[in-house]
Structure formats: C-alpha cells, structure tokens
C-alpha cells in the first residue's frame, strides 16, 4: 500500500515516454497515444509492472485501509484503488495491473454488481489484470509456520480458482523482511509458481550481486528435493520504490507530467529525459512495455540464459550497517504464540468440520480462516504493526475461534465451578495428527477431591499443582481489564492427567467428585520439597535436571536411559536498546540494535521445588519481572513414546520496567560444553533447519 499510488502514476507517466514520436504534432485537444508494445529484439526491454502493495494492516487496521478511514495516520484506500484500476484498464487495452492481496480483493468483489464482476473476469481472461501470489496476504517469511503459509495461500487461490478459473503463476514477496528457503520450494515451485520476485535482501548482498550480475538466481531451497523443486528468483536491483522524481504519492512533492502544449509548463520532453536518466542505457536501445512478472519470466526463459544457483536463504536482512531486521523475530511474542496455538486449533477444527459436514450457515471455521490468513501478513505475526492494529488482529482471532478469550491467563469457568453430585465434567481430547499421542492435559480447578475416568470407566492417575502467585495475579489483572469485573474466585490448583489419543481420533474423559461415585480421590497433591543438599535433582522419569540449591541455577541435564549427560547453565540477560547516535537508527520492533553487551539479570535466584507422580516443577524468581517454571513430565516410556521425554520451560516476563527511559531486550542464554565449531542451526518455518556458521 505504501507505494501503490506511485506505481499507478508511474505507469501512466511511461505512457508519455512511449509516444515521444508524436511530439510536435500535438495541439491542446485530446490525443490518443499509442501505448501498444511488446518485447523488441536487440533492445533493452524495460518491463513496467503496475502492482498492488496493500498492507493487510500496519499503520491502520485492515478495515481502515480498505475504506480509507483514519487518514490522519496514512492516506490510503484500497477500495478506491481497485475502482480506479478497473476504470483505467478499460480505457486502454495495453495497460496491465497485478494484484496480490486477496483479503482485500474478496471484500471488494462481493460489493460489485454482476456487470462489474463480468467486466473484471474479462480483464483477467485478457491478461490485463493478473493475480500474483494470490494468498490472503503477502505473508511474513521469518515467523510464520509453513502450515499457516500454505493455509493462507490456499484460501486466496481457492477463491481465484472458483471465480476466475485461474491459477497464479508468480510469487510476489516484495516487502517481507528477508526470505526463507521454505518459501522458495514449498510456497514457490511446489505451489506451481514459475518465479518469485522480491525487494528486501541484505544491502551488502545486493551490492555484491549487482557487481556479479547475480541478482537473478535459480533458488534451490530444499536439500531433500534438490533440483526437482527449484524456482527462478528475481531480487530487485533497488528497492520497490519508483525512480527518483516519480514518486507520485498523495503527500509527496513531485513535478507532474504536463502533456498539453498550450500551458507554459508543458514538460513532456524534460520529464521523459528525467526518466531516461534513471536508466543505465541512454543510447536509444531502451524499449519500455507494460508487463507482469509472468511476462517477464517468460521472456527470461525464452532468452535461454543460465543463472547462478542459490541453496540457502536471504536472512538476516539489513538495509544499513546498524539496521539488522532481527528485532521482529521476537517482537510481540504473545501474539506469535496466540497465532501458533490457534493454527493448531484451526487444523483440528477443519478436520472435525469435514467429518461432521461443514455448515455454511451458522458456526464454521470460515471466520477463523480469515483471521489467521490476515495474521500471517508481514506486519502482523511479525509484531511490527501499530498497537491499535495489533489489537484488531487479536480481536479477529478471538472472534474467529469463538472460544474463551482469557484462556491464556488460566481462566476457564466450566472447570472451576463445583461439579454437582452425580454429574461429570466431560473433556474430549482430539488428536489431529496421523500418529498416536500421549500428552498431559492441564486444567484449572478449585476442588482437590476429584476423580478422572476414561470412557471405559478406568480411573486415570492425576496430580494437583497449586496455582502460583504470578499466574494468579495475571488472572486478576486481565479479568478486570477484559471483563470489567474482579475475579470472585481464583482456582486453587492445576489438575493434570495423562491422555492417550489415537491418530485422527478422540478420547473422552470424565471428571467428577470422588465422594459422589463411591470412589476415593485418585489425584496426588504435589509436595513442596525443602532442599537438604547442594545439588537438587528433579524429574520423575528418565530425564533429569539438577540445580544448585545455593545459586538456584541449572547445572546439568541428563537421561538415565540413554546416558546423555550435558553440563548446562541457564541465565537471563537484557540488552539496552540503542536510541541511535551518529547513526540515528534506533532499536525497535523491526530492528535489534543493542547499546553494548548484555546485562545479567541475577546470578543467584530463589528456588522452589514441587514434586509429584506426573510432574516435578522448579519455580525460579529471577527478579520482580522475570518468573520461570520448569516442568519435567513423566512419559509412559514405551518404544513408541521414547522420544517424548522433554523439559517444558514456561516463563513470565513483564511488565518490563522502562522508568529509566531505557528500552530492554530480554534474552535467555543456555551454556553447555558441546563442541560445535561455531556452527548452529536455525529453524525455517517449522519445516527445515538451516546450518549457520
């Protein structure tokens, strides 16, 4: 959206450039320019691509961008852009336009008359209007899960196929802040794209590639699939902005093209020369044409050229020495977690919806699909939108899920209320994966005299863990903020029990009062452990962790079955955020720029140990605003579930103090004795790992 007006005006300006031969014969009356043209052999063919760049929320919400409201923040109205695009394309059959963000287009489409819809279909059939990318948004590539990337792309492509019988052929990721290898092969070649085009790559990488003429590459993103899954990738030689002097944004100070020779400020010849001066070649070998990424890629393939091979990704992205766009990897972590949780919820809900039969009227997964599709936008899940826009993303997700909006802070009235005698609280656990799962279910309760049974009447072992003060205080704060009322009662315990669920199946569990069915309580109250020795060992299963009772810090992680024994230390630290200096670039939501080395939070921390048959917990209070719980779950170790032995680390951070006017980027650091030769691996959209050195 930021450059859309510039794109449209720039394309019209080039219309004048293409018809210079008419100069000298024009009068002040209407003149029909010859804008026809195609690729000319022997010339430098400049492909002019008028395109959309409509942020699905950023400085404004998606609704505000669409209708053009809240213009005190940014002047932008997608609805008007689409109206004017259709009108402009109809005026000249040589004009072309490409549109990417289907979250906007679908809104606009349903508001149009049958006649307008038919007109747009003809524009698509003729190739004047082309859909590129075709997803619900131009998704982020660093913080999205690959399943979410597929889901939001499928949402848009399904609409395009149903309405236009068309399948997009080009990827258009011009604004995401770096590009992943998974994008190249899974959301590129495997999707059926012929090419992918983008603008943001590291400034040093771009300079070197320009020198070596390697901005265009064959991108082989998967070592597994190799050459069977590769794609032509085109990195822009400059940013996606128009040439200097041709930035026709609403609020920009620019010199318009005056093609009427009667006024004294007629300037066609000068403005055309200004444009040509932006090009490398100025000797008449330039041929400009309206084009699209698909036409450009077809021309490149027809040239029978060869390109360098690229096998990694385009991370991290930096646009200057002190502007590494790595801050957004962790910006707004609560939103990132919420998106990930609801992604899994959506996957399961879609399966159940299919089995039960989708209802098009009433409750269905459509609104959650829309909300999750919007949330994958490169200014949404990335955490880089304005706060009021982020609030809008979260509200859409909550409404889409139709669930309790306070689950994140242990608020669940159905499980907290007293269960009447002779009645049971029914818990249905569904497994959306293709293999058996055994996991711990954890719900807040007030009664420690309960019994848990499966659908066959077998009693399931359970454990009660007292609710810690940090969680209780968060609950009090947010129930007041969201519900406008104080919590009448706070749950006293977490009830934990182990559920086993078959693939793509479910199991039902019944929780009732022990006194009501002749049973005795089957759950064990967790015991607080008072350390007697220097080393505290926790873990009811094969996996063990040891802590120092003196410092409260982690010392070792070891597995009694596999023999793996790793000395390990964990610490919390924080970086002071740079406010800028000689280089005014400050640290922020996009960019991580610390102002010196990190500061350690605490070298000695209070330690609280809780033990039980299913879980051992260590509670650590690093300072007044960092609290951590480490859970070690027992796994019923069989050959099938052996790999499920793990430690769960849950931390609560905030509110981070900024009374000293110093921004703080909090990190946790794990230190081990592993010899890695400085090589490490980073995640690629939850699907692959890439080696870094």
């Amino acid at each position: 959206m930021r450059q859309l007006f510039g794109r449209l005006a720039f394309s019209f300006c080039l219309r004048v450039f293409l018809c210079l031969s008419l100069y000298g014969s024009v009068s002040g009356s209407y003149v029909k320019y010859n804008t026809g043209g195609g690729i000319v052999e022997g010339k430098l063919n400049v492909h002019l691509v008028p395109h959309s760049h409509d942020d699905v929320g950023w400085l404004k919400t998606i609704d505000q961008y669409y209708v053009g409201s809240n213009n005190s923040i940014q002047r932008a109205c997608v609805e008007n852009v689409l109206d004017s695009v259709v009108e402009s394309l109809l005026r000249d059959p040589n004009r072309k336009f490409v549109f990417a963000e289907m979250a906007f287009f679908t809104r606009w489409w349903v508001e149009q008359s049958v006649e307008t819809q038919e007109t747009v279909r003809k524009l698509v059939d003729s190739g004047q209007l082309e859909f590129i990318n075709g997803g619900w948004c131009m998704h982020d590539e660093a913080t999205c899960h690959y399943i979410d990337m597929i889901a939001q792309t499928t949402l848009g492509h399904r609409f395009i196929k149903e309405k236009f019988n068309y399948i997009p052929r080009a990827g258009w990721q011009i604004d995401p802040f770096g590009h992943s290898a998974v994008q190249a092969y899974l959301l590129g070649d495997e999707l059926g794209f012929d090419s992918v085009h983008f603008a943001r790559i590291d400034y040093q990488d771009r300079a070197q590639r320009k020198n070596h003429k390697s901005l265009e590459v064959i991108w082989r993103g998967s070592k597994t699939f190799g050459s069977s899954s590769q794609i032509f990738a085109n990195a822009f030689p400059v940013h996606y902005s128009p040439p200097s002097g041709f930035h026709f944004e609403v609020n920009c100070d620019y010199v318009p093209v005056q093609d009427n020779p009667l006024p004294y400020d007629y300037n066609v010849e000068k403005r055309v020369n200004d444009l040509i001066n932006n090009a490398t070649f100025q000797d008449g070998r330039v041929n400009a044409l309206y084009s699209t990424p698909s036409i450009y890629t077809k021309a490149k393939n027809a040239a029978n050229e060869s390109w360098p091979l690229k096998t990694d990704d385009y991370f991290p992205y930096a646009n200057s020495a002190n502007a590494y766009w790595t801050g957004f990897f962790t910006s707004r972590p609560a939103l990132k977690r919420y998106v990930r949780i609801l992604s899994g919820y959506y996957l399961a809900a879609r399966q159940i919806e299919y089995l039960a039969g989708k209802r098009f009227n009433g409750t269905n997964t459509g609104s959650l699909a829309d909300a999750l599709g919007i949330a994958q936008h490169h200014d949404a899940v990335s955490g880089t939108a304005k706060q009021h826009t982020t609030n809008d993303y979260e509200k859409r997700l909550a409404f889409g899920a139709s669930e309790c909006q306070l689950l994140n802070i242990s608020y669940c009235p159905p499980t907290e209320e007293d269960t009447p005698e002779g009645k049971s609280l029914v818990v249905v656990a569904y497994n959306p994966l293709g293999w058996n799962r055994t996991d711990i279910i954890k719900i807040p309760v007030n009664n420690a005299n309960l019994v848990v049974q499966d659908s066959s009447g077998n009693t399931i072992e359970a454990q009660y863990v007292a609710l810690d003060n940090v969680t209780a205080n968060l609950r009090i704060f947010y129930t007041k903020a969201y519900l406008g009322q104080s919590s009448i009662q706070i749950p006293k315990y977490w009830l934990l029990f182990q559920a086993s669920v078959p693939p793509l199946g479910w199991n039902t569990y019944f929780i009732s009062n022990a006194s009501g069915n002749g049973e005795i309580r089957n759950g064990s109250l967790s015991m607080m452990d008072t350390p007697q020795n220097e080393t505290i060992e926790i873990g009811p299963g094969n996996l063990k962790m040891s802590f120092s009772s003196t410092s409260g810090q982690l010392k070792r992680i070891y597995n009694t079955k596999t023999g793996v024994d790793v000395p390990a230390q964990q610490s919390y630290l924080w970086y002071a955020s740079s406010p800028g200096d000689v280089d005014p670039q400050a640290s922020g939501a996009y960019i991580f720029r610390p102002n010196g080395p990190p500061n350690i939070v605490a070298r000695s921390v209070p330690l609280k140990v809780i033990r039980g048959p299913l879980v051992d917990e260590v509670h650590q209070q690093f300072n007044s605003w960092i609290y951590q719980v480490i859970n070690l779950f027992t796994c019923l170790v069989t050959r099938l579930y052996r790999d499920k032995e793990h430690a769960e680390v849950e931390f609560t951070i905030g509110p981070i103090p900024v009374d000293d006017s110093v921004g703080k980027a909090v990190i946790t650091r794990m230190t081990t004795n592993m010899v890695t030769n400085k090589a490490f691996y980073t995640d690629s959209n939850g699907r692959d790992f890439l080696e870094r050195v």
Side-chain angles (χ1 to χ4, degrees):
M1 191 66 198
R2 300 164 215 176
Q3 305 297 336
L4 184 51
F5 296 110
R7 296 294 180 287
L8 291 171
F10 181 51
S11 66
F12 300 152
C13 142
L14 262 293
R15 175 180 54 138
V16 179
F17 165 58
L18 290 175
C19 56
L20 261 183
S21 60
L22 296 178
Y23 175 61
S25 62
V26 278
S27 63
S29 60
Y30 173 77
V31 175
K32 182 176 178 60
Y33 291 112
N34 175 18
T35 59
I39 296 172
V40 178
E41 295 294 333
K43 287 196 175 186
L44 176 67
N45 290 285
V46 178
H47 293 251
L48 307 176
V49 181
H51 63 87
S52 70
H53 177 182
D54 298 336
D55 285 324
V56 185
W58 177 43
L59 303 180
K60 306 197 295 186
T61 68
I62 181 175
D63 293 342
Q64 292 168 346
Y65 271 128
Y66 180 71
V67 302
S69 62
N70 206 357
N71 283 330
S72 62
I73 296 178
Q74 186 183 27
R75 292 183 180 273
C77 178
V78 177
E79 183 179 22
N80 288 350
V81 167
L82 283 166
D83 289 342
S84 63
V85 162
V86 172
E87 181 181 348
S88 297
L89 292 177
L90 290 173
R91 287 179 180 176
D92 186 342
N94 295 300
R95 290 176 179 168
K96 299 184 184 301
F97 191 83
V98 295
F99 198 87
E101 301 85 5
M102 301 312 296
F104 283 124
F105 189 87
T106 53
R107 290 186 180 204
W108 180 84
W109 176 261
V110 298
E111 296 173 355
Q112 306 310 304
S113 66
V114 174
E115 293 76 16
T116 299
Q117 290 182 351
E118 186 58 32
T119 297
V120 173
R121 285 193 180 96
K122 291 178 180 178
L123 291 173
V124 173
D125 290 341
S126 69
Q128 279 190 266
L129 177 61
E130 181 177 324
F131 298 110
I132 54 174
N133 246 16
W136 222 233
C137 66
M138 192 183 296
H139 58 229
D140 178 48
E141 296 185 37
T143 61
C144 287
H145 194 274
Y146 78 94
I147 288 179
D148 293 331
M149 296 161 75
I150 293 173
Q152 76 89 20
T153 303
T154 301
L155 199 61
H157 281 217
R158 185 166 55 211
F159 171 85
I160 297 170
K161 181 66 175 176
E162 289 175 354
K163 302 301 181 183
F164 301 97
N165 193 29
Y166 176 80
I167 300 173
R169 301 293 306 192
W172 191 253
Q173 290 286 101
I174 63 172
D175 202 33
F177 324 126
H179 307 280
S180 73
V182 166
Q183 174 71 29
Y185 77 89
L186 189 62
L187 275 299
D189 180 76
E190 293 293 317
L191 194 62
F193 286 170
D194 298 319
S195 61
V196 60
H197 307 260
F198 44 82
R200 295 190 186 271
I201 65 172
D202 183 85
Y203 72 105
Q204 301 163 99
D205 189 19
R206 190 196 306 275
Q208 186 178 43
R209 290 182 179 278
K210 287 174 73 172
N211 289 334
H212 295 164
K213 301 188 186 309
S214 60
L215 284 167
E216 295 174 335
V217 299
I218 297 299
W219 194 1
R220 188 179 297 170
S222 172
K223 290 184 178 180
T224 301
F225 294 113
S227 60
S228 66
S229 186
Q230 60 190 26
I231 193 167
F232 171 74
N234 167 34
F236 297 171
V238 293
H239 200 43
Y240 53 71
S241 302
S244 175
F246 293 87
H247 197 278
F248 297 129
E249 287 279 10
V250 175
N251 295 324
C252 291
D253 183 15
Y254 60 87
V255 178
V257 178
Q258 298 281 9
D259 63 351
N260 187 339
L262 295 181
Y264 290 160
D265 54 1
Y266 174 83
N267 65 356
V268 170
E269 196 169 25
K270 179 182 183 305
R271 294 300 278 142
V272 168
N273 286 331
D274 291 342
L275 180 64
I276 293 175
N277 288 335
N278 281 283
T280 303
F281 296 91
Q282 302 177 30
D283 58 0
R285 292 192 293 121
V286 176
N287 172 61
L289 66 148
Y290 288 123
S291 186
T292 68
S294 300
I295 294 173
Y296 177 77
T297 303
K298 183 178 180 180
K300 297 297 289 188
N301 288 330
N304 197 25
E305 300 176 14
S306 61
W307 296 278
L309 180 67
K310 182 175 177 63
T311 58
D312 52 6
D313 61 12
Y314 288 91
F315 285 119
Y317 162 63
N319 63 325
S320 67
N322 293 311
Y324 278 84
W325 294 49
T326 55
F328 79 96
F329 292 174
T330 54
S331 293
R332 291 196 169 95
L335 174 63
K336 287 177 167 62
R337 180 178 185 269
Y338 195 35
V339 169
R340 187 61 56 83
I341 288 173
L342 290 188
S343 171
Y345 178 88
Y346 173 60
L347 178 66
R350 284 172 61 199
Q351 293 176 358
I352 296 174
E353 184 178 57
Y354 175 79
L355 294 172
K358 184 173 183 177
R359 293 180 297 175
F360 291 94
N361 295 320
T363 303
N364 58 49
T365 59
S367 58
L368 181 55
D370 175 72
L372 280 170
I374 292 170
Q376 308 313 314
H377 172 58
H378 59 267
D379 279 310
V381 68
S382 60
T384 55
K386 293 296 184 181
Q387 186 59 55
H388 74 105
T389 305
T390 301
N391 294 342
D392 184 70
Y393 291 140
E394 293 167 341
K395 180 171 66 175
R396 291 174 185 278
L397 290 167
F399 288 170
S402 300
E403 64 172 9
C404 171
Q405 297 172 36
L406 294 172
L407 284 179
N408 195 38
I409 50 93
S410 311
Y411 179 84
C412 189
T415 69
E416 297 168 17
E417 297 171 356
D418 290 334
T419 303
E421 294 296 330
K423 300 290 184 178
S424 296
L425 173 70
V426 181
V427 177
V428 179
Y430 176 72
N431 175 16
L433 301 180
W435 52 87
N436 291 315
R437 292 180 64 187
T438 298
D439 280 311
I440 296 292
I441 290 180
K442 180 180 175 183
I443 59 176
V445 297
N446 273 298
N447 185 359
N449 191 39
L450 300 172
V451 62
V452 181
Q453 295 177 310
D454 63 17
S455 56
S456 299
N458 300 313
T459 300
I460 307 298
E461 185 177 25
Q463 179 180 341
Y464 300 89
V465 178
L467 197 74
D468 61 85
N469 291 333
V470 171
T471 303
N473 290 335
L474 279 174
R475 175 193 165 97
I476 292 170
F477 178 83
Y478 283 106
T479 50
K480 179 67 175 177
Y482 283 91
L483 302 180
Q485 62 189 33
S486 300
S487 296
I488 299 174
Q489 187 178 27
I490 298 173
K492 299 176 182 178
Y493 310 102
W494 288 111
L495 171 64
L496 294 86
F497 63 92
Q498 191 164 256
S500 296
V501 189
L504 298 177
W506 57 86
N507 269 338
T508 306
Y509 296 88
F510 302 88
I511 303 173
S512 57
N513 289 314
S515 57
N517 55 13
E519 297 280 351
I520 61 172
R521 181 183 73 195
N522 72 313
S524 302
L525 279 171
S526 303
M527 302 297 295
M528 189 81 69
D529 189 1
T530 303
Q532 302 293 328
N533 303 317
E534 160 58 23
T535 299
I536 305 167
E537 180 185 280
I538 68 164
N542 295 323
L543 184 64
K544 308 288 185 183
M545 300 177 80
S546 62
F547 293 79
S548 167
S549 61
T550 304
S551 67
Q553 300 278 21
L554 175 66
K555 295 173 63 177
R556 290 172 62 219
I557 303 173
Y558 54 101
N559 191 303
T560 57
K561 186 171 185 178
T562 63
V564 172
D565 190 340
V566 180
Q569 293 180 329
Q570 184 200 20
S571 55
Y572 279 89
L573 306 95
W574 60 271
Y575 286 95
S577 299
S578 173
D581 42 41
V582 177
D583 181 344
Q585 178 62 63
S587 191
Y590 292 94
I591 291 166
F592 174 58
R593 186 189 178 190
N595 193 15
N599 305 277
I600 192 163
V601 170
R603 299 187 184 280
S604 179
V605 298
L607 194 71
K608 182 171 68 175
V609 179
I610 297 172
R611 299 185 186 275
L614 295 179
V615 62
D616 284 356
E617 289 189 352
V618 171
H619 293 235
Q620 296 166 293
Q621 184 82 48
F622 283 80
N623 64 11
S624 60
W625 45 275
I626 298 181
Y627 186 82
Q628 176 170 283
V629 179
I630 298 179
N631 301 319
L632 281 177
F633 290 104
T634 297
C635 278
L636 298 179
V637 181
T638 64
R639 197 175 304 274
L640 183 62
Y641 299 118
R642 183 180 304 168
D643 293 338
K644 279 187 64 67
E645 297 174 355
H646 66 279
E648 180 183 279
V649 179
E650 176 185 296
F651 55 85
T652 303
I653 297 177
I656 299 173
V658 290
D659 297 340
D660 54 2
S661 300
V662 176
K664 297 173 178 65
V666 183
I667 66 166
T668 186
R669 175 187 291 168
M670 298 292 294
T671 305
T672 72
N673 67 346
M674 292 187 291
V675 179
T676 63
N677 296 321
K678 296 186 178 180
F680 64 100
Y681 293 82
T682 59
D683 169 79
S684 185
N685 303 117
R687 185 173 175 87
D688 291 331
F689 283 99
L690 293 184
E691 183 178 357
R692 310 285 183 180
V693 180

